[in-house]
Amino acid sequence: MSVPVDSPTATATTRPAGARTPAAASGRRPRVRWAWVAALALLAAALVVRLEYVADTVDRPLVHDAIDYDAHAVSIAQGEGYSKTLAHGRPTAFRPPVYPYLLAGVYKVAGVEYADELERVHVARVAQGVIGVAVVGMIGLLAAQLWGAVVALVATALATVYVPLVTMSGTVMSEPLFVVLMLACLVAALRHRASAHRWRWALVAGVLAGLAILTRANALILLLPLALAVWDRPRRSWRALGPPVALVVMAVLVVTPWTIRNAVTLHAFVPVSTQLGSALAGTYNDEARTDPEHPGSWRSLRHVPEYADLYGRIR
Protein backbone atom coordinates (compact mmCIF):
# COMPACT_ATOMS: atom_id res chain seq x y z
CA MET A 1 0.00 0.00 0.00
CA SER A 2 1.44 3.34 -1.04
CA VAL A 3 1.45 6.33 1.29
CA PRO A 4 0.97 9.84 -0.08
CA VAL A 5 4.20 11.79 0.24
CA ASP A 6 2.47 14.70 1.99
CA SER A 7 0.85 12.55 4.67
CA PRO A 8 1.93 12.65 8.36
CA THR A 9 2.93 8.99 8.15
CA ALA A 10 5.36 9.69 5.32
CA THR A 11 6.96 12.53 7.25
CA ALA A 12 7.48 10.36 10.32
CA THR A 13 8.82 7.33 8.48
CA THR A 14 11.18 9.13 6.07
CA ARG A 15 12.97 11.35 8.65
CA PRO A 16 16.62 10.24 8.98
CA ALA A 17 17.47 8.37 12.16
CA GLY A 18 18.92 10.62 14.86
CA ALA A 19 17.79 13.84 13.18
CA ARG A 20 16.48 16.56 15.50
CA THR A 21 12.82 17.33 15.25
CA PRO A 22 11.90 20.98 14.66
CA ALA A 23 10.55 21.10 18.22
CA ALA A 24 13.86 19.85 19.66
CA ALA A 25 15.88 22.28 17.56
CA SER A 26 13.70 25.21 18.54
CA GLY A 27 13.92 24.10 22.18
CA ARG A 28 17.72 24.17 22.05
CA ARG A 29 17.95 27.62 20.43
CA PRO A 30 16.37 29.51 23.35
CA ARG A 31 18.81 27.84 25.77
CA VAL A 32 21.77 28.93 23.63
CA ARG A 33 20.30 32.41 23.28
CA TRP A 34 19.82 32.77 27.02
CA ALA A 35 23.36 31.56 27.65
CA TRP A 36 24.67 34.36 25.42
CA VAL A 37 22.40 36.90 27.12
CA ALA A 38 23.63 35.79 30.54
CA ALA A 39 27.26 35.95 29.39
CA LEU A 40 26.84 39.47 28.00
CA ALA A 41 25.12 40.56 31.22
CA LEU A 42 28.05 39.22 33.24
CA LEU A 43 30.54 41.03 31.01
CA ALA A 44 28.58 44.25 31.47
CA ALA A 45 28.67 43.69 35.23
CA ALA A 46 32.41 43.06 35.05
CA LEU A 47 32.89 46.41 33.29
CA VAL A 48 30.78 48.23 35.89
CA VAL A 49 32.75 46.64 38.76
CA ARG A 50 36.09 47.59 37.23
CA LEU A 51 35.11 51.15 36.34
CA GLU A 52 33.72 51.59 39.84
CA TYR A 53 37.01 50.42 41.28
CA VAL A 54 38.89 52.92 39.09
CA ALA A 55 36.55 55.71 40.23
CA ASP A 56 37.03 54.80 43.89
CA THR A 57 40.84 54.85 43.58
CA VAL A 58 41.16 57.87 41.30
CA ASP A 59 44.07 59.41 43.22
CA ARG A 60 46.32 56.35 42.98
CA PRO A 61 49.77 57.47 41.68
CA LEU A 62 51.99 55.65 39.23
CA VAL A 63 54.61 53.44 40.90
CA HIS A 64 57.40 51.11 39.87
CA ASP A 65 56.96 49.53 36.40
CA ALA A 66 53.89 51.65 35.64
CA ILE A 67 56.12 54.75 35.54
CA ASP A 68 58.13 53.19 32.71
CA TYR A 69 55.06 52.12 30.74
CA ASP A 70 53.55 55.58 31.00
CA ALA A 71 56.79 57.32 30.00
CA HIS A 72 57.22 55.10 26.94
CA ALA A 73 53.57 55.55 25.95
CA VAL A 74 53.80 59.35 26.21
CA SER A 75 56.98 59.41 24.14
CA ILE A 76 55.49 57.11 21.48
CA ALA A 77 52.23 59.08 21.35
CA GLN A 78 54.20 62.31 20.91
CA GLY A 79 56.08 60.79 17.97
CA GLU A 80 59.42 60.32 19.75
CA GLY A 81 59.43 56.53 19.90
CA TYR A 82 60.64 54.64 22.95
CA SER A 83 61.67 57.02 25.72
CA LYS A 84 65.42 57.40 26.22
CA THR A 85 65.07 59.29 29.49
CA LEU A 86 64.46 55.99 31.28
CA ALA A 87 67.86 54.66 30.14
CA HIS A 88 70.00 57.74 30.78
CA GLY A 89 69.70 58.94 27.18
CA ARG A 90 70.40 55.56 25.59
CA PRO A 91 68.13 53.35 23.45
CA THR A 92 66.42 50.65 25.47
CA ALA A 93 64.59 47.36 25.01
CA PHE A 94 63.98 46.71 28.68
CA ARG A 95 60.18 46.87 28.30
CA PRO A 96 58.62 44.68 25.57
CA PRO A 97 56.72 46.81 23.06
CA VAL A 98 53.10 45.67 22.76
CA TYR A 99 51.74 47.22 25.95
CA PRO A 100 53.56 50.59 25.63
CA TYR A 101 52.35 50.94 22.03
CA LEU A 102 48.80 49.98 22.97
CA LEU A 103 48.85 52.50 25.81
CA ALA A 104 50.28 55.12 23.44
CA GLY A 105 47.36 54.50 21.09
CA VAL A 106 44.93 54.97 23.97
CA TYR A 107 46.61 58.26 24.91
CA LYS A 108 46.54 59.43 21.29
CA VAL A 109 42.87 58.58 20.76
CA ALA A 110 41.91 60.21 24.08
CA GLY A 111 44.06 63.24 23.29
CA VAL A 112 45.95 63.11 26.60
CA GLU A 113 49.50 62.58 25.34
CA TYR A 114 50.37 66.14 26.52
CA ALA A 115 48.09 66.12 29.58
CA ASP A 116 49.27 65.90 33.18
CA GLU A 117 49.89 62.58 34.85
CA LEU A 118 46.60 62.45 36.78
CA GLU A 119 44.53 62.81 33.60
CA ARG A 120 46.67 60.31 31.68
CA VAL A 121 46.55 57.75 34.45
CA HIS A 122 42.76 57.92 34.65
CA VAL A 123 42.48 57.25 30.91
CA ALA A 124 44.99 54.41 31.16
CA ARG A 125 43.16 52.78 34.06
CA VAL A 126 39.80 52.98 32.28
CA ALA A 127 41.44 51.23 29.31
CA GLN A 128 42.79 48.63 31.72
CA GLY A 129 39.24 48.08 32.96
CA VAL A 130 38.17 47.25 29.41
CA ILE A 131 41.12 44.87 29.06
CA GLY A 132 40.05 43.33 32.38
CA VAL A 133 36.63 42.62 30.90
CA ALA A 134 38.37 40.88 27.99
CA VAL A 135 40.15 38.70 30.57
CA VAL A 136 36.76 37.71 32.02
CA GLY A 137 35.41 36.97 28.56
CA MET A 138 38.40 34.81 27.65
CA ILE A 139 38.04 32.82 30.88
CA GLY A 140 34.40 32.14 30.01
CA LEU A 141 35.21 31.23 26.41
CA LEU A 142 37.93 28.81 27.44
CA ALA A 143 35.63 27.20 30.02
CA ALA A 144 32.91 26.85 27.38
CA GLN A 145 35.29 25.01 25.07
CA LEU A 146 36.37 22.62 27.81
CA TRP A 147 33.26 22.06 29.92
CA GLY A 148 30.21 23.63 28.26
CA ALA A 149 27.89 26.58 28.76
CA VAL A 150 26.93 26.07 32.42
CA VAL A 151 30.51 25.88 33.67
CA ALA A 152 31.43 28.79 31.39
CA LEU A 153 28.78 30.99 33.01
CA VAL A 154 29.94 30.00 36.49
CA ALA A 155 33.57 30.73 35.57
CA THR A 156 32.58 34.09 34.05
CA ALA A 157 30.59 35.01 37.16
CA LEU A 158 33.51 34.15 39.44
CA ALA A 159 35.97 36.09 37.28
CA THR A 160 33.62 39.08 37.29
CA VAL A 161 33.95 39.56 41.04
CA TYR A 162 37.31 37.90 41.76
CA VAL A 163 39.14 40.61 43.68
CA PRO A 164 42.70 40.08 42.32
CA LEU A 165 41.38 40.34 38.75
CA VAL A 166 39.46 43.51 39.63
CA THR A 167 42.42 45.22 41.30
CA MET A 168 44.80 44.11 38.55
CA SER A 169 42.51 45.83 36.06
CA GLY A 170 43.17 49.11 37.86
CA THR A 171 46.94 49.03 37.42
CA VAL A 172 48.92 50.50 34.52
CA MET A 173 50.75 47.23 33.96
CA SER A 174 51.15 44.72 31.13
CA GLU A 175 49.79 41.71 33.06
CA PRO A 176 46.09 42.05 32.10
CA LEU A 177 46.90 42.32 28.40
CA PHE A 178 49.27 39.38 28.70
CA VAL A 179 46.55 37.27 30.33
CA VAL A 180 44.14 38.10 27.48
CA LEU A 181 46.69 37.06 24.84
CA MET A 182 47.72 33.94 26.75
CA LEU A 183 44.12 32.75 27.11
CA ALA A 184 43.43 33.65 23.47
CA CYS A 185 46.34 31.40 22.43
CA LEU A 186 44.78 28.52 24.35
CA VAL A 187 41.34 29.20 22.87
CA ALA A 188 42.78 29.17 19.33
CA ALA A 189 44.74 25.96 20.00
CA LEU A 190 41.64 24.21 21.33
CA ARG A 191 39.63 25.50 18.38
CA HIS A 192 42.22 23.97 16.09
CA ARG A 193 41.56 20.54 17.58
CA ALA A 194 37.81 20.78 16.89
CA SER A 195 37.80 22.62 13.55
CA ALA A 196 38.03 21.54 9.95
CA HIS A 197 40.19 24.63 9.31
CA ARG A 198 43.11 23.28 11.32
CA TRP A 199 45.91 25.27 9.69
CA ARG A 200 43.95 28.49 10.09
CA TRP A 201 43.65 28.19 13.87
CA ALA A 202 47.27 27.07 14.26
CA LEU A 203 48.34 30.25 12.47
CA VAL A 204 46.03 32.37 14.64
CA ALA A 205 47.51 30.76 17.76
CA GLY A 206 50.99 31.57 16.45
CA VAL A 207 50.15 35.24 15.90
CA LEU A 208 48.65 35.52 19.37
CA ALA A 209 51.66 33.76 20.89
CA GLY A 210 53.98 36.23 19.16
CA LEU A 211 52.00 39.15 20.56
CA ALA A 212 52.08 37.56 24.02
CA ILE A 213 55.88 37.25 23.79
CA LEU A 214 56.10 40.92 22.80
CA THR A 215 54.00 41.76 25.86
CA ARG A 216 55.97 39.72 28.39
CA ALA A 217 59.09 37.96 27.16
CA ASN A 218 58.59 34.92 29.43
CA ALA A 219 55.64 33.97 27.21
CA LEU A 220 58.25 32.28 25.04
CA ILE A 221 57.68 29.14 27.12
CA LEU A 222 54.09 29.01 25.83
CA LEU A 223 55.30 27.86 22.42
CA LEU A 224 56.03 24.33 23.65
CA PRO A 225 52.58 23.48 25.09
CA LEU A 226 50.85 25.30 22.22
CA ALA A 227 52.83 23.33 19.64
CA LEU A 228 51.92 20.09 21.42
CA ALA A 229 48.25 21.16 21.48
CA VAL A 230 48.10 21.57 17.69
CA TRP A 231 50.19 18.50 16.90
CA ASP A 232 47.79 16.28 14.98
CA ARG A 233 47.54 12.52 15.10
CA PRO A 234 49.12 10.27 13.98
CA ARG A 235 52.03 12.28 15.38
CA ARG A 236 54.74 10.40 13.52
CA SER A 237 53.54 11.60 10.14
CA TRP A 238 55.08 14.61 8.39
CA ARG A 239 51.62 16.05 7.82
CA ALA A 240 50.95 16.12 11.56
CA LEU A 241 54.02 18.30 12.12
CA GLY A 242 52.68 21.02 9.84
CA PRO A 243 50.44 22.91 12.32
CA PRO A 244 52.98 23.07 15.21
CA VAL A 245 55.73 24.19 12.85
CA ALA A 246 53.41 26.81 11.34
CA LEU A 247 52.48 28.05 14.82
CA VAL A 248 56.11 28.49 15.90
CA VAL A 249 57.13 30.08 12.60
CA MET A 250 54.25 32.56 12.77
CA ALA A 251 55.18 33.51 16.34
CA VAL A 252 58.79 34.08 15.26
CA LEU A 253 57.65 36.22 12.32
CA VAL A 254 55.59 38.41 14.66
CA VAL A 255 58.57 38.91 16.98
CA THR A 256 61.18 39.41 14.23
CA PRO A 257 60.55 43.14 13.44
CA TRP A 258 61.20 44.03 17.08
CA THR A 259 64.34 41.87 17.11
CA ILE A 260 65.59 43.71 14.03
CA ARG A 261 64.85 47.05 15.71
CA ASN A 262 66.89 45.96 18.72
CA ALA A 263 69.79 44.87 16.54
CA VAL A 264 69.82 48.26 14.81
CA THR A 265 69.42 50.45 17.90
CA LEU A 266 71.28 48.37 20.52
CA HIS A 267 73.92 46.82 18.21
CA ALA A 268 73.31 43.46 19.83
CA PHE A 269 71.11 40.40 19.42
CA VAL A 270 68.18 41.02 21.78
CA PRO A 271 65.19 38.91 20.66
CA VAL A 272 62.66 40.73 22.86
CA SER A 273 63.91 42.31 26.06
CA THR A 274 66.96 42.88 28.28
CA GLN A 275 64.92 42.10 31.40
CA LEU A 276 66.08 38.51 31.84
CA GLY A 277 69.39 39.21 33.59
CA SER A 278 68.04 41.72 36.08
CA ALA A 279 64.92 39.61 36.72
CA LEU A 280 67.00 36.55 37.61
CA ALA A 281 69.68 38.45 39.53
CA GLY A 282 67.10 40.51 41.43
CA THR A 283 65.35 37.35 42.62
CA TYR A 284 68.21 34.92 43.20
CA ASN A 285 70.50 36.68 45.67
CA ASP A 286 71.26 36.58 49.38
CA GLU A 287 69.15 39.67 50.13
CA ALA A 288 66.04 38.04 48.66
CA ARG A 289 66.82 34.61 50.14
CA THR A 290 67.21 35.88 53.70
CA ASP A 291 64.40 38.46 53.66
CA PRO A 292 62.27 37.49 56.70
CA GLU A 293 59.09 39.24 55.49
CA HIS A 294 59.14 38.59 51.73
CA PRO A 295 61.57 35.74 51.05
CA GLY A 296 62.41 35.28 47.41
CA SER A 297 60.93 38.64 46.39
CA TRP A 298 62.57 40.59 43.58
CA ARG A 299 64.50 43.76 44.37
CA SER A 300 66.36 46.33 42.29
CA LEU A 301 69.99 45.49 41.65
CA ARG A 302 71.08 48.81 43.08
CA HIS A 303 69.80 47.64 46.46
CA VAL A 304 71.73 44.34 46.45
CA PRO A 305 75.19 44.76 48.02
CA GLU A 306 76.73 41.78 46.20
CA TYR A 307 76.05 43.52 42.86
CA ALA A 308 77.48 46.89 43.94
CA ASP A 309 80.67 46.56 41.86
CA LEU A 310 78.72 45.51 38.78
CA TYR A 311 76.07 48.19 39.12
CA GLY A 312 78.70 50.83 39.87
CA ARG A 313 80.16 50.39 36.36
CA ILE A 314 76.87 51.42 34.73
CA ARG A 315 76.89 55.14 33.98
Side-chain angles (χ1 to χ4, degrees):
M1 175 181 175
S2 62
V3 180
V5 294
D6 57 347
S7 70
T9 306
T11 303
T13 56
T14 58
R15 181 177 293 118
R20 281 198 187 97
T21 64
S26 61
R28 184 175 180 274
R29 260 188 246 112
R31 289 200 297 270
V32 173
R33 188 181 302 118
W34 278 110
W36 278 107
V37 170
L40 291 175
L42 288 170
L43 293 178
L47 180 61
V48 170
V49 169
R50 282 149 181 77
L51 294 183
E52 185 64 28
Y53 174 74
V54 169
D56 289 342
T57 56
V58 69
D59 57 346
R60 173 171 292 180
L62 290 173
V63 294
H64 307 309
D65 294 3
I67 296 174
D68 285 11
Y69 289 125
D70 174 70
H72 282 312
V74 169
S75 182
I76 294 167
Q78 292 178 356
E80 302 295 330
Y82 253 45
S83 174
K84 294 183 178 181
T85 60
L86 297 172
H88 310 289
R90 299 171 300 180
T92 177
F94 191 75
R95 302 294 177 189
V98 167
Y99 183 64
Y101 274 93
L102 175 65
L103 191 58
V106 171
Y107 286 171
K108 194 73 175 178
V109 170
V112 297
E113 66 270 29
Y114 293 99
D116 60 29
E117 180 180 302
L118 186 62
E119 187 175 356
R120 288 198 317 272
V121 170
H122 179 70
V123 170
R125 296 183 71 213
V126 169
Q128 289 290 86
V130 175
I131 294 173
V133 174
V135 171
V136 175
M138 281 296 165
I139 289 172
L141 186 57
L142 185 61
Q145 287 181 303
L146 293 172
W147 300 293
V150 174
V151 175
L153 290 175
V154 172
T156 305
L158 291 173
T160 295
V161 297
Y162 186 54
V163 174
L165 289 182
V166 175
T167 56
M168 185 177 68
S169 299
T171 61
V172 186
M173 300 286 283
S174 63
E175 279 82 352
L177 179 61
F178 172 67
V179 172
V180 171
L181 292 170
M182 179 179 65
L183 293 176
C185 290
L186 297 176
V187 167
L190 288 176
R191 182 61 181 156
H192 161 86
R193 298 173 71 89
S195 173
H197 305 289
R198 303 174 75 79
W199 281 82
R200 177 188 303 174
W201 287 105
L203 293 173
V204 170
V207 171
L208 293 169
L211 292 175
I213 293 168
L214 290 176
T215 303
R216 295 189 67 83
N218 55 0
L220 183 65
I221 63 175
L222 290 174
L223 291 181
L224 178 59
L226 287 173
L228 290 174
V230 300
W231 192 356
D232 295 331
R233 296 179 184 275
R235 290 186 170 178
R236 294 186 179 182
S237 68
W238 286 107
R239 183 178 179 182
L241 288 174
V245 170
L247 185 152
V248 173
V249 168
M250 187 58 65
V252 170
L253 290 176
V254 171
V255 173
T256 295
W258 182 250
T259 306
I260 294 173
R261 175 265 182 193
N262 292 341
V264 171
T265 58
L266 303 179
H267 308 290
F269 177 66
V270 180
V272 178
S273 168
T274 56
Q275 284 184 358
L276 181 61
S278 64
L280 291 174
T283 303
Y284 298 99
N285 58 75
D286 287 340
E287 291 292 310
R289 182 177 59 82
T290 59
D291 187 337
E293 295 185 6
H294 305 288
S297 61
W298 183 89
R299 67 256 353 264
S300 173
L301 300 189
R302 72 183 71 184
H303 299 139
V304 181
E306 61 193 283
Y307 298 135
D309 292 342
L310 177 64
Y311 195 83
R313 295 199 299 269
I314 301 175
R315 295 181 181 179

